[in-house]
Amino acid sequence: MASKQFDATPAEIRAAAERAATRDKLKWQFRQQMENPNALKGEGGYVFDPASQRFLSMRVTQFDHFRATPKTSALGLGLFVLPIAFFTYLIYREKTTFEKKCREGKISYKDRNFKFA
Amino acid sequence: MLIMMSIFVSMTPLTFISWSLTHMWLYFCFLISLMLIYTGWNQWDMFNFFLGGDLMSFILISLTIWISILMISASSKIKFKTNWSFFLLMNLLLCLILSVTFLMSDLITFYISFETALIPIFLIVMGWGYQPERLQAGLYLLFYTLFASLPLLICILYMNFSLKMSSTVLLFYNLSINFYSTFETIVLFVGFTLAFLVKLPLFSVHLWLPKAHVEAPVAGSMILAGVLLKLGGYGLLRSLVLFKSFHFGAYILMSTCLFGGVMVGLICLRQTDTKALIAYSSIAHMGLVLGGMLTFFIWGMSGALILMIAHGLCSSALFCLANINYERNHTRSLFLSGGSLWTLPSFSLWWFLFVAGNMAAPPSMNLVGEISIINSLVSWAFCLWVLIFSCSFLAAAYSIYLYVGTQHGHIMTAFKMLSCSFNRELLILFLHWMPLNFFIFRVDYLFCWMYLSSLTKISICGFEDTMCLS
């Protein structure tokens, strides 16, 4: 920090000094872990960050906090069971319509596509 | 063949003597397994009363031995631990048991070897995994498979004693089996297919796979993705033909596997763990494989086999790459692993090649498999185009997301070390890439197992949209 600040109020100067002190402290802790000569070399890895670890642990343990409620059950039903049932019905309808037309002779042999798949 | 088995078994004492000798011996076994493909391409070869196979079995055995070689190369850090010989023994036993499973011609002995393969992989996951979560992962792997395979045992015994049928060879000759009622058909269908669907895995019974793949060591992940999922595919390719006339079962499974592929593709897009992303992408690909099988068309079933082999090589290589990053960064997180294009440029090429293979870009074998399967799916039921389009699009999206997440972006300043690449790692990746991209010149060989075999006449006649070779 410069010794004279012409365009800042004393409160702003004090706040900037506090921020700089916090930053220096954190930077010193980071450098202590990163450049520690007593740590094992060649091991790789990264400086441990508790915030990143908390996020990753949260993502991994999400299912442990799952509760079956009417909302989650409806979500599961609507997103998984109903679409599968819908597509099953679509396939069933297409296949039975085609089968019925073939058996009634409405589709000639030459018009049946993909015979040789 | 018996010479090969005895060579295999004689390797077991070598595991206590030398790592590199065992490794070299496996290369030799791979060369012998290639000879099986050369002789058995258009017929079913029986070596004795209970061991034999057709082209599909021999190709999968070659894949098993190849992946075993590469997974031993990739696990070189274990050489410096005290239990390295036990690790080698587990790998070799797994390779041997899987090879024997693909060769079994009797259903009961097939079931026994199918279950026996669980023991070495369980020990590998539990013994050499990296996090404490591997305990739960091992239990999920074991109990999902065991729970689903007990109905399989009951159905096999029922087939053996009531329907007088106990041969995998004759499973295609299903004209002699008359199921007595719809109830019997449904029960046998569920019992027979559930074990293989859990192994494949099908979307709704897939929960064991992300856990097991993520918590396993690199060797475990490679063999799981490379071969163990294909055990389920192999079982389905053999036994689904029994239930060709049970159309409604095929409709339900078809919509489950394809819709599951779409859901899993969406899940991939919000993953933060590299290995979990690759594991979920396996589920999407196996969904397409199952879809191809359920059409019972030649293109569908051959495309399923081609995609199984291609996926075995591609996914195994991706797990290898993920482990290469993990060994240096000690993290699997996509947020923390960015910038490998600058820290490990040699591997960026391989990341790109395998990610391109994952999204079925030419000239990889995945392309041929997906084209065949997509053609057969669309000709089977045109309404599936929505799901197929979504699956393919999402495959491209999450593959690019994986590449960008690991290679692009800023390098994390908190990384303590930058390290070089090792020749061993580059060799492993090259040995994955070479068969994946050069087999496309002879991929017609993999259509042979159904096309030219005499089994074709039995398996495809009687279905209204297929050609009858009479």
Side-chain angles (χ1 to χ4, degrees):
Chain A
M1 290 283 291
S3 56
K4 281 197 177 171
Q5 298 282 329
F6 294 102
D7 56 350
T9 62
E12 280 172 358
I13 294 168
R14 270 198 305 277
E18 277 169 20
R19 283 197 298 271
T22 314
R23 196 165 49 239
D24 281 341
K25 199 170 94 180
L26 287 170
K27 192 80 183 278
W28 184 82
Q29 283 173 6
F30 179 80
R31 287 188 67 188
Q32 204 184 23
Q33 290 177 64
M34 189 76 165
E35 297 163 14
N36 182 5
N38 298 322
L40 289 165
K41 291 292 181 191
E43 281 277 314
Y46 60 99
V47 174
F48 179 72
D49 177 26
S52 308
Q53 186 59 51
R54 270 197 299 274
F55 174 75
L56 295 171
S57 302
M58 179 202 73
R59 291 299 301 273
V60 160
T61 55
Q62 232 165 355
F63 183 63
D64 298 339
H65 305 290
F66 176 78
R67 268 185 319 120
T69 62
K71 186 175 165 189
T72 57
S73 305
L75 215 60
L77 207 71
L79 282 178
F80 298 122
V81 177
L82 289 179
I84 289 175
F86 172 67
F87 280 107
T88 309
Y89 169 70
L90 275 184
I91 297 169
Y92 171 76
R93 200 179 68 170
E94 183 177 331
K95 302 289 283 176
T96 44
T97 319
F98 181 74
E99 177 76 15
K100 196 158 165 266
K101 280 189 189 158
C102 284
R103 286 181 190 268
E104 286 168 3
K106 286 183 181 161
I107 301 179
S108 67
Y109 187 74
K110 68 174 176 62
D111 288 332
R112 277 168 51 184
N113 294 325
F114 305 104
K115 284 190 284 288
F116 305 114
Chain B
M1 180 57 211
L2 285 174
I3 297 171
M4 183 185 153
M5 302 306 292
S6 55
I7 288 169
F8 236 132
V9 172
S10 66
M11 254 192 315
T12 351
L14 265 181
T15 60
F16 296 98
I17 301 168
S18 162
W19 182 284
S20 25
L21 269 179
T22 315
H23 202 195
M24 282 196 303
W25 205 242
L26 260 179
Y27 274 106
F28 180 62
C29 287
F30 175 72
L31 287 173
I32 297 178
S33 74
L34 285 180
M35 288 197 289
L36 291 172
I37 302 172
Y38 181 69
T39 56
W41 66 282
N42 63 344
Q43 61 200 357
W44 193 291
D45 264 337
M46 292 297 293
F47 307 118
N48 56 28
F49 285 120
F50 62 98
L51 283 180
D54 62 352
L55 182 64
M56 174 169 62
S57 309
F58 300 146
I59 283 272
L60 286 167
I61 289 171
S62 301
L63 178 71
T64 308
I65 302 175
W66 194 241
I67 299 284
S68 300
I69 291 168
L70 296 173
M71 74 197 227
I72 289 173
S73 299
S75 315
S76 66
K77 288 207 166 177
I78 292 176
K79 259 195 285 188
F80 306 109
K81 297 190 180 173
T82 51
N83 54 4
W84 63 267
S85 58
F86 189 60
F87 176 78
L88 261 187
L89 184 65
M90 286 299 109
N91 283 321
L92 282 186
L93 272 180
L94 186 56
C95 186
L96 177 67
I97 293 166
L98 286 169
S99 308
V100 159
T101 313
F102 289 128
L103 288 173
M104 281 298 175
S105 68
D106 180 59
L107 279 173
I108 297 171
T109 42
F110 168 78
Y111 175 82
I112 292 170
S113 43
F114 178 80
E115 293 296 295
T116 316
L118 276 178
I119 298 168
I121 189 63
F122 177 72
L123 288 171
I124 289 172
V125 168
M126 287 288 212
W128 289 275
Y130 303 126
Q131 278 89 34
E133 285 80 16
R134 70 186 188 270
L135 301 172
Q136 195 194 38
L139 288 175
Y140 264 65
L141 163 72
L142 203 62
F143 283 100
Y144 259 78
T145 316
L146 287 175
F147 178 77
S149 62
L150 189 60
L152 174 67
L153 176 64
I154 294 168
C155 292
I156 288 172
L157 292 172
Y158 177 77
M159 293 261 290
N160 191 32
F161 291 114
S162 297
L163 301 173
K164 312 287 182 220
M165 222 290 289
S166 180
S167 172
T168 52
V169 182
L170 298 175
L171 273 175
F172 267 67
Y173 293 81
N174 58 354
L175 298 174
S176 60
I177 295 178
N178 294 313
F179 297 132
Y180 297 121
S181 68
T182 315
F183 175 72
E184 187 190 19
T185 313
I186 293 170
V187 168
L188 280 170
F189 178 74
V190 171
F192 242 100
T193 55
L194 189 63
F196 302 126
L197 292 173
V198 166
K199 203 80 180 171
L200 193 67
L202 180 65
F203 168 62
S204 41
V205 289
H206 67 282
L207 283 177
W208 65 273
L209 188 138
K211 287 190 191 292
H213 274 68
V214 166
E215 301 304 333
V218 61
S221 295
M222 285 169 76
I223 196 75
L224 269 167
V227 185
L228 278 159
L229 302 194
K230 282 69 200 164
L231 256 186
Y234 172 81
L236 283 170
L237 275 170
R238 291 269 186 245
S239 61
L240 263 183
V241 191
L242 274 178
F243 305 101
K244 209 153 53 95
S245 53
F246 182 46
H247 297 302
F248 199 68
Y251 301 160
I252 293 179
L253 276 184
M254 181 71 83
S255 51
T256 311
C257 67
L258 289 177
F259 184 73
V262 174
M263 281 288 114
V264 153
L266 290 170
I267 291 170
C268 279
L269 283 174
R270 57 180 303 272
Q271 281 300 322
T272 54
D273 186 335
T274 327
K275 278 179 96 168
L277 203 159
I278 301 166
Y280 276 109
S281 79
S282 296
I283 303 173
H285 283 111
M286 290 299 111
L288 266 181
V289 162
L290 179 60
M293 281 187 223
L294 287 166
T295 60
F296 299 106
F297 290 172
I298 293 174
W299 278 39
M301 297 188 89
S302 306
L305 177 64
I306 294 168
L307 189 56
M308 275 188 343
I309 293 162
H311 173 265
L313 289 163
C314 189
S315 212
S316 169
L318 282 170
F319 277 114
C320 211
L321 281 164
N323 180 65
I324 285 166
N325 272 29
Y326 179 76
E327 278 177 0
R328 286 149 176 86
N329 304 337
H330 287 212
T331 176
R332 291 190 309 261
S333 166
L334 276 169
F335 294 128
L336 303 173
S337 308
S340 297
L341 197 60
W342 287 269
T343 56
L344 296 166
S346 322
F347 292 114
S348 285
L349 170 67
W350 297 109
W351 268 108
F352 176 74
L353 289 174
F354 288 113
V355 151
N358 206 29
M359 64 168 119
S364 68
M365 226 177 13
N366 304 66
L367 175 75
V368 179
E370 283 207 12
I371 285 175
S372 312
I373 290 174
I374 288 170
N375 267 328
S376 70
L377 283 171
V378 166
S379 65
W380 189 77
F382 189 70
C383 60
L384 292 173
W385 73 267
V386 176
L387 295 175
I388 296 162
F389 162 75
S390 310
C391 267
S392 298
F393 177 76
L394 287 168
Y398 62 66
S399 300
I400 293 172
Y401 170 60
L402 173 63
Y403 181 77
V404 167
T406 49
Q407 306 304 304
H408 294 184
H410 293 293
I411 308 165
M412 202 171 73
T413 49
F415 278 144
K416 288 184 188 168
M417 186 180 101
L418 296 175
S419 86
C420 58
S421 54
F422 295 109
N423 276 341
R424 171 187 57 83
E425 291 162 340
L426 294 170
L427 177 66
I428 294 166
L429 295 167
F430 176 75
L431 291 177
H432 275 108
W433 178 82
M434 199 187 58
L436 181 63
N437 283 266
F438 281 91
F439 216 102
I440 200 168
F441 294 117
R442 291 297 297 167
V443 81
D444 56 321
Y445 207 64
L446 291 173
F447 278 85
C448 287
W449 80 277
M450 255 197 104
Y451 207 53
L452 292 172
S453 159
S454 58
L455 301 172
T456 308
K457 206 187 256 195
I458 306 294
S459 67
I460 64 166
C461 283
F463 201 64
E464 68 271 8
D465 285 326
T466 59
M467 177 173 70
C468 192
L469 291 173
S470 54

